[in-house]
Amino acid sequence: MILAQTILVTPIVAALARQFLEDLWSEYADQLHSLGAHRGQALLTLLWEGRFSLTTAVAGGIWGGPAPKSARS
């Protein structure tokens, strides 16, 4: 059951993370290019700037599912 839930939620979390990073890239692309940031530096900057949004996406994937039957009242 846990494996099935992991398989189901992984694409959703990945899509949310990609969307967050894409939005950040569109916001910071010109600035990163003007500073001469390489691909790795740009990626680290985007990950740092989007850390709260990415944490929210991962947390939603981990704890966002319905409660198991044993936990329901």
Coordinates of all heavy atoms in Angstrom, one line a residue:
M1 N 0.8 -1.2 0.0 CA 0.0 0.0 0.0 C 0.9 1.3 0.0 O 0.6 2.2 -0.7 CB -0.9 0.0 1.2 CG -1.8 1.1 1.3 SD -3.1 1.0 0.1 CE -4.2 2.2 0.6
I2 N 1.9 1.3 0.8 CA 2.8 2.4 0.9 C 3.5 2.6 -0.5 O 3.7 3.7 -1.0 CB 3.8 2.3 2.0 CG1 3.1 2.3 3.3 CG2 4.9 3.3 1.9 CD1 3.9 2.0 4.5
L3 N 3.9 1.5 -1.1 CA 4.6 1.6 -2.4 C 3.6 2.2 -3.4 O 4.0 3.0 -4.2 CB 5.1 0.2 -2.8 CG 5.8 0.1 -4.2 CD1 7.1 1.0 -4.1 CD2 6.1 -1.3 -4.5
A4 N 2.4 1.7 -3.4 CA 1.4 2.2 -4.4 C 1.2 3.7 -4.2 O 1.1 4.5 -5.2 CB 0.1 1.5 -4.2
Q5 N 1.1 4.2 -3.0 CA 0.9 5.6 -2.7 C 2.1 6.4 -3.1 O 2.0 7.5 -3.6 CB 0.6 5.8 -1.2 CG -0.7 5.3 -0.8 CD -1.0 5.4 0.7 OE1 0.0 5.6 1.5 NE2 -2.2 5.3 1.1
T6 N 3.3 5.9 -2.9 CA 4.5 6.5 -3.3 C 4.5 6.7 -4.9 O 4.9 7.8 -5.4 CB 5.8 5.8 -2.9 OG1 5.7 5.7 -1.4 CG2 7.0 6.5 -3.3
I7 N 4.2 5.6 -5.5 CA 4.2 5.7 -7.0 C 3.1 6.7 -7.5 O 3.4 7.4 -8.5 CB 3.9 4.3 -7.6 CG1 5.1 3.4 -7.3 CG2 3.6 4.3 -9.1 CD1 4.9 1.9 -7.6
L8 N 2.0 6.8 -6.8 CA 1.0 7.7 -7.2 C 1.3 9.2 -7.0 O 1.0 10.1 -7.8 CB -0.4 7.4 -6.5 CG -1.1 6.1 -7.0 CD1 -2.3 5.9 -6.1 CD2 -1.5 6.3 -8.4
V9 N 2.0 9.5 -5.9 CA 2.3 10.8 -5.5 C 3.5 11.4 -6.1 O 3.7 12.6 -6.3 CB 2.3 11.0 -4.0 CG1 3.6 10.5 -3.4 CG2 2.0 12.4 -3.6
T10 N 4.5 10.5 -6.5 CA 5.8 11.0 -7.1 C 5.6 11.9 -8.3 O 6.2 13.0 -8.3 CB 6.7 9.8 -7.3 OG1 6.9 9.1 -6.1 CG2 8.0 10.3 -7.9
P11 N 4.8 11.6 -9.3 CA 4.7 12.5 -10.4 C 4.0 13.8 -10.1 O 4.4 14.8 -10.7 CB 3.8 11.7 -11.4 CG 3.7 10.3 -10.9 CD 4.1 10.3 -9.5
I12 N 3.1 13.8 -9.1 CA 2.5 15.1 -8.7 C 3.5 16.0 -8.0 O 3.6 17.2 -8.4 CB 1.3 14.8 -7.7 CG1 0.3 14.0 -8.5 CG2 0.7 16.0 -7.2 CD1 -0.8 13.4 -7.6
V13 N 4.3 15.4 -7.1 CA 5.3 16.2 -6.5 C 6.4 16.7 -7.5 O 6.8 17.9 -7.4 CB 6.0 15.4 -5.3 CG1 7.2 16.2 -4.7 CG2 5.0 15.2 -4.2
A14 N 6.8 15.9 -8.4 CA 7.8 16.2 -9.4 C 7.2 17.4 -10.3 O 7.9 18.3 -10.7 CB 8.1 15.0 -10.3
A15 N 5.9 17.3 -10.7 CA 5.3 18.3 -11.5 C 5.2 19.6 -10.8 O 5.5 20.7 -11.4 CB 3.9 17.9 -12.0
L16 N 4.9 19.6 -9.5 CA 4.8 20.8 -8.7 C 6.2 21.4 -8.6 O 6.4 22.7 -8.7 CB 4.2 20.6 -7.3 CG 2.7 20.3 -7.3 CD1 2.3 19.9 -5.9 CD2 2.0 21.6 -7.7
A17 N 7.2 20.6 -8.3 CA 8.6 21.1 -8.2 C 9.1 21.7 -9.5 O 9.7 22.8 -9.5 CB 9.5 20.0 -7.7
R18 N 8.8 21.1 -10.6 CA 9.2 21.6 -11.9 C 8.5 22.9 -12.2 O 9.2 23.9 -12.7 CB 8.9 20.6 -13.0 CG 9.5 21.0 -14.4 CD 8.8 20.3 -15.5 NE 7.4 20.6 -15.6 CZ 6.9 21.8 -16.2 NH1 7.6 22.7 -16.6 NH2 5.6 21.9 -16.2
Q19 N 7.3 23.0 -11.8 CA 6.5 24.3 -12.1 C 7.1 25.4 -11.2 O 7.3 26.5 -11.7 CB 5.1 24.1 -11.8 CG 4.2 25.3 -12.1 CD 4.2 25.6 -13.6 OE1 4.1 24.8 -14.4 NE2 4.5 26.9 -13.9
F20 N 7.4 25.1 -10.0 CA 8.0 26.1 -9.1 C 9.4 26.6 -9.7 O 9.6 27.8 -9.7 CB 8.3 25.6 -7.7 CG 7.0 25.4 -6.9 CD1 6.9 24.3 -6.1 CD2 6.0 26.3 -7.0 CE1 5.7 24.1 -5.3 CE2 4.8 26.1 -6.2 CZ 4.7 25.0 -5.4
L21 N 10.2 25.7 -10.1 CA 11.5 26.0 -10.6 C 11.4 26.8 -12.0 O 12.1 27.7 -12.3 CB 12.4 24.8 -10.8 CG 12.8 24.2 -9.5 CD1 13.6 22.9 -9.8 CD2 13.7 25.1 -8.7
E22 N 10.4 26.4 -12.8 CA 10.2 27.1 -14.1 C 9.7 28.5 -13.8 O 10.2 29.4 -14.5 CB 9.1 26.3 -14.9 CG 8.9 26.9 -16.3 CD 7.9 26.1 -17.1 OE1 7.6 25.0 -16.7 OE2 7.4 26.7 -18.1
D23 N 8.9 28.7 -12.8 CA 8.4 30.1 -12.5 C 9.6 30.9 -12.0 O 9.7 32.1 -12.4 CB 7.3 30.0 -11.5 CG 6.0 29.5 -12.0 OD1 5.9 29.4 -13.3 OD2 5.2 29.1 -11.2
L24 N 10.4 30.3 -11.2 CA 11.6 31.0 -10.7 C 12.6 31.4 -11.8 O 13.2 32.4 -11.8 CB 12.3 30.2 -9.6 CG 11.6 30.2 -8.2 CD1 12.4 29.3 -7.3 CD2 11.6 31.6 -7.6
W25 N 12.7 30.4 -12.7 CA 13.6 30.6 -13.8 C 13.2 31.8 -14.7 O 14.0 32.7 -15.1 CB 13.8 29.4 -14.7 CG 14.7 29.6 -15.9 CD1 14.3 29.7 -17.2 CD2 16.1 29.9 -15.9 NE1 15.3 30.0 -18.0 CE2 16.5 30.1 -17.2 CE3 17.0 29.9 -14.9 CZ2 17.8 30.3 -17.6 CZ3 18.3 30.2 -15.3 CH2 18.7 30.4 -16.6
S26 N 11.9 31.9 -14.9 CA 11.4 33.0 -15.8 C 11.6 34.3 -15.0 O 11.7 35.4 -15.7 CB 9.9 32.8 -16.1 OG 9.1 32.8 -14.9
E27 N 11.6 34.3 -13.7 CA 11.8 35.5 -12.9 C 13.2 35.9 -12.8 O 13.6 37.1 -12.9 CB 11.2 35.3 -11.5 CG 11.2 36.5 -10.6 CD 10.6 36.3 -9.3 OE1 9.8 35.3 -9.2 OE2 10.9 37.0 -8.4
Y28 N 14.1 34.9 -12.7 CA 15.5 35.2 -12.4 C 16.5 35.0 -13.6 O 17.7 35.2 -13.5 CB 16.0 34.4 -11.3 CG 15.5 34.7 -9.9 CD1 14.5 34.0 -9.3 CD2 16.0 35.8 -9.3 CE1 14.0 34.4 -8.1 CE2 15.5 36.2 -8.0 CZ 14.5 35.5 -7.4 OH 14.1 35.8 -6.2
A29 N 16.0 34.6 -14.8 CA 16.9 34.2 -15.9 C 17.8 35.4 -16.3 O 19.0 35.2 -16.5 CB 16.0 33.7 -17.0
D30 N 17.2 36.5 -16.5 CA 18.0 37.7 -17.0 C 19.1 38.1 -16.0 O 20.2 38.3 -16.4 CB 17.1 38.9 -17.3 CG 16.2 38.6 -18.5 OD1 16.5 37.8 -19.4 OD2 15.1 39.3 -18.6
Q31 N 18.7 38.1 -14.8 CA 19.7 38.4 -13.7 C 20.8 37.4 -13.6 O 22.0 37.8 -13.5 CB 19.0 38.6 -12.4 CG 19.9 39.1 -11.3 CD 19.1 39.3 -10.0 OE1 18.0 38.9 -9.9 NE2 19.8 39.8 -9.0
L32 N 20.5 36.1 -13.7 CA 21.5 35.1 -13.6 C 22.4 35.2 -14.8 O 23.6 35.0 -14.7 CB 20.9 33.7 -13.5 CG 20.2 33.5 -12.1 CD1 19.4 32.2 -12.2 CD2 21.2 33.4 -11.0
H33 N 21.8 35.4 -16.0 CA 22.7 35.5 -17.2 C 23.6 36.7 -17.1 O 24.8 36.7 -17.5 CB 21.8 35.6 -18.5 CG 21.2 34.3 -18.9 ND1 22.0 33.2 -19.2 CD2 19.9 34.0 -19.1 CE1 21.2 32.2 -19.6 NE2 19.9 32.7 -19.5
S34 N 23.1 37.8 -16.6 CA 23.9 39.0 -16.5 C 25.0 38.9 -15.5 O 26.1 39.5 -15.6 CB 23.0 40.3 -16.2 OG 22.5 40.2 -14.9
L35 N 24.8 38.1 -14.5 CA 25.9 37.8 -13.5 C 26.8 36.8 -14.0 O 27.8 36.5 -13.3 CB 25.2 37.4 -12.2 CG 24.4 38.5 -11.4 CD1 23.7 37.9 -10.3 CD2 25.3 39.6 -11.0
G36 N 26.6 36.1 -15.1 CA 27.5 35.1 -15.6 C 27.4 33.8 -14.9 O 28.4 33.0 -14.9
A37 N 26.2 33.5 -14.3 CA 26.1 32.2 -13.6 C 26.0 31.1 -14.6 O 25.4 31.1 -15.6 CB 24.8 32.3 -12.8
H38 N 26.8 30.0 -14.2 CA 26.8 28.8 -15.0 C 25.5 28.0 -14.7 O 24.8 28.4 -13.8 CB 28.0 28.0 -14.8 CG 29.3 28.7 -15.1 ND1 29.7 28.9 -16.4 CD2 30.3 29.2 -14.3 CE1 30.8 29.5 -16.4 NE2 31.2 29.7 -15.2
R39 N 25.3 26.9 -15.4 CA 24.1 26.1 -15.2 C 24.0 25.6 -13.8 O 22.9 25.7 -13.2 CB 24.1 25.0 -16.2 CG 22.8 24.1 -16.1 CD 22.8 23.1 -17.1 NE 22.6 23.7 -18.5 CZ 22.4 23.0 -19.6 NH1 22.4 21.7 -19.5 NH2 22.3 23.6 -20.7
G40 N 25.1 25.1 -13.2 CA 25.0 24.6 -11.9 C 24.8 25.7 -10.8 O 24.1 25.5 -9.9
Q41 N 25.4 26.9 -11.1 CA 25.2 28.0 -10.1 C 23.8 28.5 -10.2 O 23.2 28.8 -9.2 CB 26.2 29.1 -10.5 CG 27.6 28.8 -10.2 CD 28.6 29.8 -10.8 OE1 28.2 30.4 -11.9 NE2 29.7 30.0 -10.2
A42 N 23.2 28.5 -11.4 CA 21.8 28.9 -11.6 C 20.9 28.0 -10.9 O 19.9 28.4 -10.2 CB 21.5 29.1 -13.1
L43 N 21.2 26.7 -11.1 CA 20.3 25.7 -10.4 C 20.4 25.8 -8.9 O 19.3 25.7 -8.2 CB 20.7 24.2 -10.9 CG 20.0 23.1 -10.2 CD1 18.5 23.2 -10.6 CD2 20.5 21.8 -10.6
L44 N 21.6 25.9 -8.3 CA 21.7 26.1 -6.9 C 20.9 27.3 -6.4 O 20.3 27.3 -5.4 CB 23.1 26.1 -6.5 CG 23.9 24.8 -6.6 CD1 25.3 25.0 -6.2 CD2 23.3 23.8 -5.6
T45 N 21.0 28.4 -7.2 CA 20.3 29.6 -6.8 C 18.8 29.4 -6.8 O 18.1 29.9 -5.9 CB 20.7 30.8 -7.7 OG1 22.2 31.0 -7.7 CG2 20.0 32.1 -7.4
L46 N 18.3 28.8 -7.9 CA 16.9 28.6 -8.0 C 16.4 27.6 -6.9 O 15.3 27.9 -6.3 CB 16.6 28.0 -9.3 CG 16.8 28.9 -10.5 CD1 16.4 28.2 -11.8 CD2 16.0 30.2 -10.4
L47 N 17.2 26.6 -6.5 CA 16.8 25.7 -5.5 C 16.8 26.5 -4.1 O 15.9 26.2 -3.3 CB 17.7 24.5 -5.4 CG 17.6 23.5 -6.5 CD1 18.7 22.4 -6.4 CD2 16.3 22.8 -6.5
W48 N 17.7 27.3 -3.9 CA 17.8 28.1 -2.7 C 16.6 29.1 -2.6 O 16.0 29.2 -1.6 CB 19.1 28.8 -2.5 CG 19.2 29.6 -1.3 CD1 19.1 30.9 -1.1 CD2 19.4 29.1 0.0 NE1 19.2 31.3 0.2 CE2 19.4 30.1 1.0 CE3 19.6 27.8 0.5 CZ2 19.5 30.0 2.3 CZ3 19.7 27.6 1.9 CH2 19.7 28.7 2.8
E49 N 16.3 29.8 -3.7 CA 15.2 30.7 -3.7 C 13.9 30.0 -3.6 O 12.9 30.6 -3.0 CB 15.3 31.6 -4.9 CG 16.4 32.6 -5.0 CD 16.4 33.6 -3.9 OE1 15.3 34.1 -3.6 OE2 17.4 33.9 -3.4
G50 N 13.7 28.8 -4.1 CA 12.5 28.1 -4.1 C 12.4 27.1 -3.0 O 11.5 26.3 -3.0
R51 N 13.2 27.1 -2.0 CA 13.3 26.1 -1.0 C 12.0 25.9 -0.2 O 11.6 24.8 0.1 CB 14.5 26.3 0.0 CG 14.4 27.5 0.8 CD 15.7 27.8 1.5 NE 15.7 29.0 2.4 CZ 15.9 30.2 2.0 NH1 16.2 30.4 0.7 NH2 15.8 31.2 2.8
F52 N 11.3 27.0 0.1 CA 10.0 26.9 0.8 C 8.9 26.4 0.0 O 8.1 25.6 0.5 CB 9.7 28.3 1.4 CG 10.7 28.9 2.4 CD1 11.3 30.1 2.1 CD2 11.0 28.2 3.5 CE1 12.3 30.6 3.0 CE2 12.0 28.7 4.4 CZ 12.6 29.9 4.1
S53 N 8.9 26.8 -1.3 CA 7.8 26.2 -2.2 C 8.1 24.7 -2.4 O 7.2 23.9 -2.4 CB 7.8 27.0 -3.5 OG 7.5 28.3 -3.3
L54 N 9.4 24.4 -2.6 CA 9.7 23.0 -2.8 C 9.4 22.1 -1.6 O 8.9 21.0 -1.7 CB 11.1 22.8 -3.2 CG 11.5 23.4 -4.6 CD1 13.0 23.4 -4.8 CD2 10.8 22.7 -5.7
T55 N 9.7 22.7 -0.4 CA 9.4 22.0 0.9 C 7.9 21.8 1.0 O 7.4 20.7 1.4 CB 9.9 22.8 2.1 OG1 11.3 22.9 1.9 CG2 9.7 22.0 3.4
T56 N 7.1 22.8 0.6 CA 5.7 22.6 0.7 C 5.1 21.5 -0.3 O 4.3 20.8 0.1 CB 5.0 24.0 0.3 OG1 5.5 25.0 1.2 CG2 3.5 23.9 0.4
A57 N 5.7 21.5 -1.5 CA 5.3 20.4 -2.4 C 5.6 19.0 -1.9 O 4.8 18.1 -2.0 CB 6.0 20.7 -3.8
V58 N 6.8 18.9 -1.3 CA 7.2 17.6 -0.8 C 6.4 17.2 0.4 O 5.9 16.1 0.6 CB 8.7 17.6 -0.5 CG1 9.1 16.3 0.3 CG2 9.5 17.7 -1.8
A59 N 6.2 18.2 1.3 CA 5.4 17.9 2.5 C 3.9 17.6 2.1 O 3.3 16.7 2.7 CB 5.4 19.1 3.4
G60 N 3.4 18.2 1.1 CA 2.0 17.9 0.7 C 2.0 16.5 0.1 O 1.0 15.8 0.3
G61 N 3.0 16.1 -0.5 CA 3.1 14.7 -1.1 C 3.2 13.7 0.0 O 2.6 12.6 -0.1
I62 N 3.9 14.0 1.1 CA 4.1 13.1 2.2 C 2.9 13.0 3.1 O 2.4 11.9 3.4 CB 5.4 13.4 3.0 CG1 6.6 13.2 2.1 CG2 5.5 12.6 4.2 CD1 7.9 13.7 2.7
W63 N 2.4 14.2 3.5 CA 1.4 14.2 4.5 C 0.0 14.6 4.0 O -0.9 14.8 4.7 CB 1.7 15.1 5.6 CG 2.9 14.7 6.4 CD1 2.9 13.6 7.2 CD2 4.2 15.2 6.4 NE1 4.2 13.4 7.8 CE2 5.0 14.4 7.3 CE3 4.8 16.3 5.8 CZ2 6.3 14.7 7.5 CZ3 6.1 16.6 6.0 CH2 6.9 15.8 6.9
G64 N -0.1 14.7 2.7 CA -1.4 15.2 2.1 C -2.4 14.2 1.8 O -3.5 14.5 1.4
G65 N -2.1 12.9 2.0 CA -3.1 11.9 1.6 C -4.2 11.7 2.6 O -4.1 12.3 3.7
P66 N -5.2 10.9 2.3 CA -6.3 10.7 3.2 C -5.8 9.8 4.4 O -4.8 9.1 4.2 CB -7.3 10.0 2.4 CG -6.5 9.4 1.3 CD -5.4 10.3 1.0
A67 N -6.5 9.9 5.5 CA -6.1 9.1 6.7 C -6.4 7.7 6.4 O -7.4 7.4 5.8 CB -6.8 9.6 7.9
P68 N -5.6 6.7 6.9 CA -6.0 5.3 6.8 C -7.2 5.0 7.6 O -7.6 5.7 8.5 CB -4.8 4.6 7.4 CG -3.9 5.6 8.0 CD -4.4 6.9 7.6
K69 N -7.9 3.9 7.3 CA -9.1 3.5 7.9 C -9.0 3.4 9.4 O -9.9 3.7 10.1 CB -9.6 2.2 7.3 CG -10.1 2.3 5.9 CD -10.6 1.0 5.4 CE -11.1 1.1 4.0 NZ -11.6 -0.2 3.5
S70 N -7.8 2.9 9.9 CA -7.7 2.7 11.3 C -7.6 4.1 12.0 O -7.9 4.1 13.2 CB -6.4 1.9 11.6 OG -5.3 2.6 11.1
A71 N -7.2 5.2 11.4 CA -7.1 6.5 12.0 C -8.4 7.3 12.0 O -8.6 8.3 12.6 CB -6.0 7.3 11.4
R72 N -9.4 6.8 11.2 CA -10.7 7.5 11.1 C -11.5 7.2 12.3 O -11.5 6.1 12.9 CB -11.4 7.1 9.8 CG -10.7 7.5 8.6 CD -11.5 7.1 7.4 NE -10.7 7.2 6.2 CZ -10.9 6.5 5.0 NH1 -12.0 5.8 4.9 NH2 -10.1 6.6 4.0
S73 N -12.4 8.2 12.7 CA -13.2 7.9 13.8 C -14.6 7.4 13.4 O -15.1 7.6 12.3 CB -13.4 9.1 14.7 OG -13.1 10.3 14.1

